[in-house]
Amino acid sequence: MRDRSGMALRVEADRLYLLDQSRLPQEQRWLAIDDVDALVEAIHALRTRGAPMIAIAAALLVAVRAERGDDRDALAEAVARLRRARPTAVNLMHAMDALADALAAPDWRAAVIASAEALHDGDRALCDALAAHGAALIGAGERILTHCNTGGLATAGIGTALGVIRRAHEQDKGVSVWVDETRPLLQGARLTAWELGELGVPYLLITDSMAAGLMAAGRVDRVIVGADRIAANGDVANKIGTYGLAVLARHHGVPFAVAAPHTTLDPACATGTAIPIEQRAAAEVRGVTGAAGELCWAPADAPVDNPAFDVTPAALVDHWVLDTGVFDAAAVAAGALTHGGAGLPAAAPG
Ligand SMILES: CSC[C@H]1O[C@H](OP(=O)(O)O)[C@H](O)[C@@H]1O
């Protein structure tokens, strides 16, 4: 298997390495991931995260195990376990289904490796394509608000929503970014702020609660977010807090876009009500584990509700920015995100 590298993932001499995103930005620690247990733990703990990234990491681990001689039954078990590692981002299920198909081939070992490599290489291309489509939407000097992290840490390429912003910046459109900190795990404050700083994109870090006042003051020109799963009717599951942004954006007349590769589309989900929402540990809400140790500020036994995602109805989305083009509400209502629709290539899984 060819060596490969990216911002948060490497394969060297048939060994998978992942950048531990739970330690960023204070510490850049690479983890050698040699088996399914290690990757499932890394996905659960969001050491590796982002809808495309967890799919690609899972696929490349199975390919590494195939390269190391695991038999077909062991690989099939690995695919099944990894498919269940997180319930909301559909990219993971699509990737594992593709590898399960490869395992059914006569030359299954080579087919698994080729399928995983194609997923990794393909995601880079999907990011570039959707960034080009999305950047065309962006006007000069726009102040763009984004949520969570959707850049090179969350994908194999330049990212989804953050890829659009990066491309607009590279086109000298003079954009600036409001970065939602994104409670409870602070993917925005820790990861998006770090990525934009590295790229030299002007940004201001804000608390999630500040978005409303900024839109009321007319200081937000557009909202662009990522997605973990997009239903056939255009409903979008994304990081918790996204739905609130969509309501605010619609109330204040701010265009709201979702950026995602077509591998995030799930035509098997008719609407967002069918999308499983991951529930996460109470401790994440009660306090933040910082580099200096536990900083818990809530009562240790405070009852908590901690859904990792919410669903934004299609009625609140103005643009779906995909690698296959930009689609508005009329196109989505006409079936653009379903099998055979303009947004979903015929060969795409799901
Ligand atoms: C391009 S990443 C899409 C999506 O994944 C993130 O979730 P998590 O950090 O829990 O993996 C977030 O919802 C992003 O918008």
Side-chain angles (χ1 to χ4, degrees):
M1 194 166 128
R2 286 184 292 110
D3 285 359
R4 46 198 53 240
S5 65
M7 180 182 279
L9 175 151
R10 299 199 316 258
V11 174
E12 290 174 359
D14 294 331
R15 195 172 196 192
L16 175 64
Y17 297 88
L18 298 175
L19 181 62
D20 183 347
Q21 298 187 36
S22 71
R23 314 285 301 185
L24 289 174
Q26 282 73 23
E27 184 183 352
Q28 295 188 38
R29 173 188 293 182
W30 286 87
L31 305 171
I33 302 290
D34 291 319
D35 56 41
V36 173
D37 288 343
L39 183 54
V40 168
E41 191 281 333
I43 291 173
H44 281 170
L46 274 68
R47 301 185 200 285
T48 188
R49 45 147 299 280
M53 175 57 80
I54 61 178
I56 291 157
L60 289 175
L61 177 68
V62 175
V64 162
R65 298 301 316 182
E67 195 77 57
R68 292 189 189 174
D70 283 13
D71 65 27
R72 184 151 51 175
D73 288 346
L75 295 175
E77 183 189 352
V79 166
R81 283 189 61 203
L82 289 166
R83 195 181 193 280
R84 299 190 298 267
R86 280 186 91 185
T88 305
V90 74
N91 315 61
L92 178 60
M93 294 79 181
H94 287 163
M96 293 302 98
D97 292 347
L99 263 62
D101 290 346
L103 280 170
D107 59 341
W108 51 271
R109 198 177 296 277
V112 160
I113 294 167
S115 179
E117 292 187 318
L119 281 165
H120 184 242
D121 297 338
D123 189 64
R124 292 173 186 268
L126 297 181
C127 287
D128 287 337
L130 78 86
H133 290 307
L137 278 178
I138 309 298
E142 282 194 8
R143 300 155 298 181
I144 302 169
L145 189 145
T146 195
H147 194 68
C148 200
N149 173 258
T150 59
L153 292 170
T155 67
I158 63 170
T160 59
L162 222 50
V164 170
I165 292 168
R166 172 177 174 168
R167 206 52 99 226
H169 173 73
E170 291 168 347
Q171 294 170 359
D172 297 322
K173 291 192 172 183
V175 298
S176 58
V177 187
W178 297 110
V179 176
D180 260 6
E181 65 173 352
T182 314
R183 281 273 293 148
L185 293 179
L186 306 176
Q187 289 94 324
R190 295 186 300 108
L191 306 179
T192 297
W194 181 67
E195 284 200 55
L196 291 176
E198 293 288 301
L199 293 170
V201 180
Y203 74 90
L204 288 174
L205 175 59
I206 60 172
T207 63
D208 300 333
S209 56
M210 292 177 188
L214 288 169
M215 289 193 213
R219 300 175 67 191
V220 179
D221 300 306
R222 189 180 304 271
V223 177
I224 303 181
V225 299
D228 291 83
R229 192 181 306 215
I230 301 174
N233 73 338
D235 291 350
V236 178
N238 195 51
K239 185 53 50 198
I240 190 73
T242 301
Y243 171 60
L245 287 175
V247 172
L248 284 169
R250 182 52 55 89
H251 177 74
H252 291 289
V254 174
F256 183 92
V258 176
H262 71 262
T263 48
T264 306
L265 300 178
D266 185 4
C269 275
T271 69
T273 57
I275 300 175
I277 300 298
E278 177 186 5
Q279 288 290 330
R280 293 188 59 87
E284 294 177 353
V285 176
R286 292 195 189 115
V288 175
T289 303
E294 290 300 326
L295 301 176
C296 189
W297 49 70
D301 61 351
V304 166
D305 185 23
N306 187 15
F309 303 98
D310 57 25
V311 175
T312 297
L316 294 178
V317 180
D318 296 295
H319 298 105
W320 291 257
V321 178
L322 309 180
D323 50 284
T324 45
V326 178
F327 300 91
D328 62 13
V332 169
L337 308 184
T338 61
H339 280 302
L344 183 57

